[in-house]
Amino acid sequence: MNDKGLVTLKQNIHNETRHEIIFGKVSPGERITESRLTERFQCSRGPVREALIQLEKEGFVVLVPNQGAVVTKISPKEVEDYYTLLELLEGKAVEWSAPHLTAADIKKLTDINHRLKKIAWNDKNPVEKWVPLNQTFHRFFRERCSNEKMNWIIEEIRLRITRHRYTSLAVTALDDYLNDHEAIVDAIRQGDPEKARTAMETHIRRARLVLTGFLSRFPGF
């Protein structure tokens, strides 16, 4: 198998394992062995090990020497802490970027939200389609807020809550998130940076409340 094939295989193993963790097919605390995955995907240990390392970086598993990977639990306190930071930072990113956004920028943001609306939730793995588009929407403001460190800091936080965000998407009505996006764009269109900041803060707070509410009902998740 060539290098491209190995990369694709690693990503397939990563994506399918992540999907099973998010949707509860693999339980928190459950062990995932390399041998189980090599047998399932009919491959060597190399791509399996790389996929597990990527999952550990994203917070889905913890690698244990000679035991494989153990699925992590989501800490409600961790969710609260990270999302509170995101609420402040992403709100400021929108407020600071709003005066610099052009009509063309607003159209791009509107187009992204329109593409998110078109994702069919009866498709296989709709969350996989949603996440990169949603990231593009949020990153738009961070890259234009005239603070070179803002994008880096938020990316660091979002990397650590990958699983939290996927779970949030899996357990909520996404129409609310789309409406939040529209409120952010409308405020920018109206030339009101503070209103745009408040709309983003509301958006991030919604995600936090959805996830903490879910964890309160399923504390062992």
Side-chain angles (χ1 to χ4, degrees):
M1 184 179 295
N2 59 32
D3 291 344
K4 184 176 180 181
L6 286 172
V7 170
T8 301
L9 177 59
K10 183 207 78 172
Q11 205 58 45
N12 286 342
I13 297 169
H14 167 270
N15 290 347
E16 290 195 29
T17 305
R18 181 177 64 184
H19 186 269
E20 291 176 352
I21 293 171
I22 291 167
F23 289 95
K25 294 180 181 179
V26 184
S27 303
E30 186 172 340
R31 190 159 63 96
I32 303 173
T33 63
E34 290 184 9
S35 58
R36 187 171 103 191
L37 292 176
T38 55
E39 181 179 350
R40 174 181 171 184
F41 290 95
Q42 294 295 295
C43 65
S44 66
R45 288 181 180 270
V48 167
R49 192 170 293 116
E50 290 182 18
L52 291 176
I53 289 172
Q54 185 175 348
L55 287 167
E56 183 179 48
K57 290 178 179 177
E58 295 172 345
F60 288 92
V61 303
V62 173
L63 296 180
V64 181
N66 303 316
Q67 294 186 42
V70 177
V71 178
T72 58
K73 294 183 179 181
I74 297 177
S75 161
K77 180 64 166 63
E78 186 178 28
V79 170
E80 190 78 27
D81 289 348
Y82 278 133
Y83 273 89
T84 298
L85 286 173
L86 277 186
E87 184 179 326
L88 292 170
L89 292 170
E90 296 219 30
K92 278 299 181 184
V94 170
E95 181 181 9
W96 292 344
S97 66
H100 308 293
L101 298 180
T102 65
D105 292 328
I106 292 172
K107 183 179 185 306
K108 288 179 183 177
L109 289 165
T110 302
D111 289 344
I112 293 168
N113 215 36
H114 181 67
R115 290 166 64 192
L116 285 167
K117 287 181 181 180
K118 292 177 67 176
I119 294 174
W121 288 91
N122 57 351
D123 287 352
K124 183 180 179 181
N125 297 340
V127 173
E128 301 288 351
K129 299 178 182 178
W130 173 283
V131 168
L133 273 176
N134 188 59
Q135 288 175 336
T136 300
F137 183 91
H138 282 261
R139 190 178 295 115
F140 203 95
F141 306 107
R142 309 196 299 265
E143 291 178 343
R144 290 165 170 77
C145 73
S146 300
N147 186 316
E148 294 180 358
K149 303 302 181 185
M150 180 70 82
N151 192 45
W152 174 77
I153 292 172
I154 293 176
E155 287 290 348
E156 283 291 306
I157 294 173
R158 283 188 167 268
L159 179 63
R160 285 163 173 73
I161 61 170
T162 300
R163 183 184 176 191
H164 306 50
R165 289 186 291 127
Y166 272 79
T167 304
S168 172
L169 289 169
V171 299
T172 191
L174 296 184
D175 285 347
D176 290 336
Y177 291 159
L178 290 168
N179 290 337
D180 290 344
H181 285 182
E182 289 181 357
I184 294 165
V185 176
D186 284 344
I188 293 169
R189 188 181 289 113
Q190 295 164 18
D192 193 335
E194 291 187 4
K195 185 177 180 181
R197 183 201 69 221
T198 301
M200 176 60 85
E201 291 172 346
T202 298
H203 178 48
I204 302 295
R205 192 179 309 123
R206 185 190 307 281
R208 172 171 59 84
L209 293 174
V210 164
L211 192 50
T212 53
F214 172 78
L215 293 175
S216 68
R217 297 192 301 276
F218 302 96
F221 191 79

